[in-house]
Amino acid sequence: MRVSPFDAWIAASIGQDGGTPDPARLAGWQLIALCRALDHARKAPFYRDRLARLPPGFPESFEAFATLPTTTPADLAAQFPRFLAVPQDAVARMVTVATSGTTGPPKRMGLTDADLAETLECFQVVMAVTLNPGETVLILFPADKPDSVGDLIGRGMRRLGALPVFGDPTGNPARLAEALRAHRPASLIAAPSQLRAALEDVTAMQAARETLRSVVYASDFLSPELRERTASRFGCRVFDYYSATEMAYGGGMECLAGAGYHLREAQLYFEVLDPLSDVPLPQGEVGEVAFTTLTCRGVPLLRYRTGDAAAMLPGPCPCGSPLRRLGPILGRIETTTGGFAVVTPDKGKGRA
């Protein structure tokens, strides 16, 4: 079994030779990166005000970092321009996303050329889990606009040496079957909503069985039932790619062992928090996933609450990686009187 390609990527990013990152060395690197991240975040008016009283050299530990207040999607939606740490003319792509569970203003994200370059690299590494150079991948995400999700995935696949082809994003089963038979892809990348109809269509199922080695789901919540149904009816492996627009489309990817998401540890610092206190939970306990951007993003985010419910899993992974992983996304966190609940999203409801 191949070790997750995230390991070699992370090792190179932190300047470690050998391709296998040492967890202790990564933790030390991340702590220094968090100091840099706070310095960069102060360029954004929102964080300049919030961090004004922090002492020099903060944080001196992960425990100290965990005392910072969290950032919420409502903060981002209500005060977006104040989150920009770069001039507006440095923003290469502006993205608007509805805020889940609210009727408030949508969230906006400004992605710079550097942000998009990181995303391309992430997509290249993600698909190396299941795709080899020279193979074809069918992408159902729209790619008509430059730097759209589908366009970025396609460009990332070319960097891997694979051949991207684009299918009908509506999920029409007949068109999917036609594309599968015409291009003979080894892998298919889609949102769960794009394949639900095809999973009930005999022609699409047969076409999938003739060519696909894997399906990679992205963007939306993947239920265990849909995962099992896809594997059974398409006759292939199913992988889940964890992402959000606020992460610049990249968070983590399952490996061949299927034992959690390997995380983008050199660009994002992840925590699992008690939703009621914002205190980091021990590994194995379910809470709310939060992340901090470690690189100089156009929109830096500190302890950003995703609303996703999961547990952090300790290393090593069965694939051989020594690093921690994020467990499966179980649903959305909803606070209740005196506690919280994990609610499974409705069909088609995304993670944004």
Side-chain angles (χ1 to χ4, degrees):
M1 183 185 300
R2 289 185 293 181
V3 176
S4 168
F6 273 57
D7 273 24
W9 184 33
I10 292 167
S13 297
I14 68 174
Q16 182 176 336
D17 296 330
T20 302
D22 175 67
R25 180 165 175 173
L26 173 61
W29 184 92
Q30 286 180 322
L31 190 58
I32 294 171
L34 286 172
C35 292
R36 293 195 300 262
L38 265 62
D39 288 340
H40 176 67
R42 290 185 179 92
K43 297 176 183 177
F46 178 86
Y47 287 118
R48 185 182 306 135
D49 294 344
R50 177 170 282 196
L51 304 176
R53 297 186 179 182
L54 288 183
F58 185 93
E60 67 279 5
S61 65
F62 291 111
E63 290 75 17
F65 179 75
T67 64
L68 289 178
T70 56
T71 304
T72 67
D75 292 331
L76 182 60
Q79 301 193 54
F80 167 72
R82 302 187 74 246
F83 276 87
L84 278 173
V86 298
Q88 292 209 20
D89 60 7
V91 174
R93 178 167 174 77
M94 194 69 73
V95 186
T96 302
V97 185
T99 303
S100 296
T102 77
T103 56
K107 297 174 291 187
R108 301 189 73 195
M109 283 294 296
L111 302 176
T112 65
D113 286 333
D115 298 336
L116 294 171
E118 284 185 1
T119 298
L120 286 174
E121 189 175 15
C122 180
F123 285 149
Q124 175 185 352
V125 174
V126 161
M127 287 306 294
V129 171
T130 182
L131 196 66
N132 298 313
E135 292 183 323
T136 299
V137 55
L138 178 61
I139 302 165
L140 297 193
F141 288 95
D144 51 329
K145 296 181 180 179
D147 297 328
S148 61
V149 174
D151 176 61
L152 291 168
I153 294 174
R155 287 157 59 190
M157 297 308 94
R158 293 187 188 98
R159 291 177 58 151
L160 179 61
L163 174 64
V165 294
F166 296 91
D168 177 17
T170 68
N172 178 281
R175 292 174 184 167
L176 175 62
E178 182 181 352
L180 289 169
R181 286 182 169 147
H183 300 292
R184 307 291 296 178
S187 188
L188 168 64
I189 305 176
S193 59
Q194 293 174 308
L195 293 187
R196 284 196 174 91
L199 290 169
E200 305 299 328
D201 185 90
V202 174
T203 302
M205 286 189 283
Q206 181 59 38
R209 284 180 167 274
E210 291 172 359
T211 184
L212 289 181
R213 187 171 63 244
S214 65
V215 167
V216 177
Y217 277 122
S219 178
D220 295 345
F221 173 75
L222 176 61
S223 68
E225 294 77 17
L226 182 58
R227 180 194 288 269
E228 182 179 349
R229 188 160 72 251
T230 304
S232 173
R233 297 185 180 183
F234 278 11
C236 64
R237 284 289 305 269
V238 177
F239 297 90
D240 192 21
Y241 174 54
Y242 179 52
S243 65
T245 303
E246 297 94 320
M247 298 174 189
Y249 308 126
M253 173 68 169
E254 295 175 328
C255 66
L256 293 174
Y261 305 102
H262 292 260
L263 299 170
R264 199 174 167 181
E265 295 272 30
Q267 295 166 346
L268 301 171
Y269 173 66
F270 283 90
E271 301 172 273
V272 173
L273 309 179
D274 181 330
L276 304 181
S277 67
D278 294 345
V279 173
L281 293 172
Q283 291 181 341
E285 292 192 22
V286 173
E288 183 172 359
V289 181
F291 71 90
T292 294
T293 53
L294 295 178
T295 53
C296 294
R297 295 287 181 87
V299 177
L301 293 170
L302 305 179
R303 307 196 79 209
Y304 184 81
R305 300 176 62 155
T306 65
D308 293 328
M312 196 65 73
L313 306 177
C317 175
C319 78
S321 170
L323 302 182
R324 65 179 187 163
R325 289 101 56 225
L326 186 67
I329 302 300
L330 304 175
R332 301 286 295 176
I333 293 287
E334 289 192 7
T335 56
T336 60
T337 303
F340 70 92
V342 177
V343 179
T344 302
D346 297 329
K347 289 183 179 180
K349 185 176 179 181
R351 292 184 180 132

